[in-house]
Amino acid sequence: DGGITQSPKYLFRKEGQNVTLSCEQNLNHDAMYWYRQDPGQGLRLIYYSQIVNDFQKGDIAEGYSVSREKKESFPLTVTSAQKNPTAFYLCASSIGSHKQETQYFGPGTRLLVL
Amino acid sequence: SQELEQSPQSLIVQEGKNLTINCTSSKTLYGLYWYKQKYGEGLIFLMMLQKGGEEKSHEKITAKLDEKKQQSSLHITASQPSHAGIYLCGAGLSLIQGAQKLVFGQGTRLTINP
């Protein structure tokens, strides 16, 4: 079955700690995205990547970092510089060859601060 | 920037009844996406509309985009408990390198009473 997996489902972060959220897809999609979802604010784009070894900042990239070493994987690191990391994080992917194309989402990771 | 407004924010209907959710954009829509989300889970893609006047259906759900491409509606016929969840409309906005991001409305929370 093709799809997008995210792990872990829940993640707890201590003060000053960096944590990494995993996102893997086996859809053979070129483009991958990270969104953050907060109650009452909808989804906001953190980072996106159109091809391997290349990625761009989205609307709220401060305090986050990503890598794209493999087509299938797009991990997101929430650094200690992110002062309000508690949120639901969603990874998505799309074919990457058209301007208007559907993005498919993973099941999400909920990050909580201890 | 493009903004999407959904109405109503919350909807409670009796099982078997029809319902409509609206999505209004501040600018012309070049791609309008409907997703469904259950609490704490990822987004499930429902339908994508691009052309003015376009209408698509899947099972008991019909989505329409108006001729001016600034308003979309999602109609559910003979609602069932499985339809309960949060419905999100999203607009595709172009980024650099041919990528796009999705800008979402606040969502409509649908409850189905037996």
Side-chain angles (χ1 to χ4, degrees), chain A residues 9 33 35 37 40-43 45 48 50 54 56 59 88 90 98-103 105-107, chain B residues 30-31 33 35 37 39-43 45 48 50 92 94-102 104 106:
Chain A
K9 189 171 175 67
Y33 313 80
Y35 290 88
Q37 187 177 33
Q41 291 198 47
L43 280 78
L45 182 66
Y48 65 99
Q50 287 288 92
D54 189 40
Q56 305 294 331
D59 300 319
F88 192 51
L90 289 157
H98 308 287
K99 281 198 172 181
Q100 287 296 339
E101 58 186 30
T102 299
Q103 292 183 18
F105 286 79
Chain B
Y30 292 100
Y33 302 79
Y35 289 86
Q37 184 180 30
Y39 181 75
E41 299 180 11
L43 277 64
F45 170 68
M48 179 227 189
Q50 274 191 282
S94 294
L95 299 168
I96 63 171
Q97 298 178 351
Q100 73 164 14
K101 71 174 181 181
L102 292 176
F104 287 90
Q106 298 303 312

Side-chain angles (χ1 to χ4, degrees), chain A residues 10-14 19 85-87 89 109-114:
Chain A
Y10 296 96
L11 186 57
F12 298 91
R13 192 190 92 163
K14 294 180 182 178
V19 291
T86 298
Y89 291 86
T109 292
R110 187 165 299 278
L111 177 60
L112 300 164
V113 177
L114 294 177

Side-chain angles (χ1 to χ4, degrees), chain A residues 3-12 19-25 32 34 72-78 88-92 105-111:
Chain A
I4 303 173
T5 57
Q6 291 185 242
S7 62
K9 189 171 175 67
Y10 296 96
L11 186 57
F12 298 91
V19 291
T20 298
L21 285 62
S22 169
C23 177
E24 303 274 333
Q25 55 97 1
M32 296 187 75
W34 275 105
E72 303 80 18
S73 179
F74 192 39
L76 173 75
T77 296
V78 183
F88 192 51
Y89 291 86
L90 289 157
C91 178
F105 286 79
T109 292
R110 187 165 299 278
L111 177 60

Side-chain angles (χ1 to χ4, degrees), chain A residues 70-85:
Chain A
K70 298 188 299 181
K71 186 176 182 177
E72 303 80 18
S73 179
F74 192 39
L76 173 75
T77 296
V78 183
T79 74
S80 56
Q82 173 49 243
K83 298 307 178 189
N84 185 22

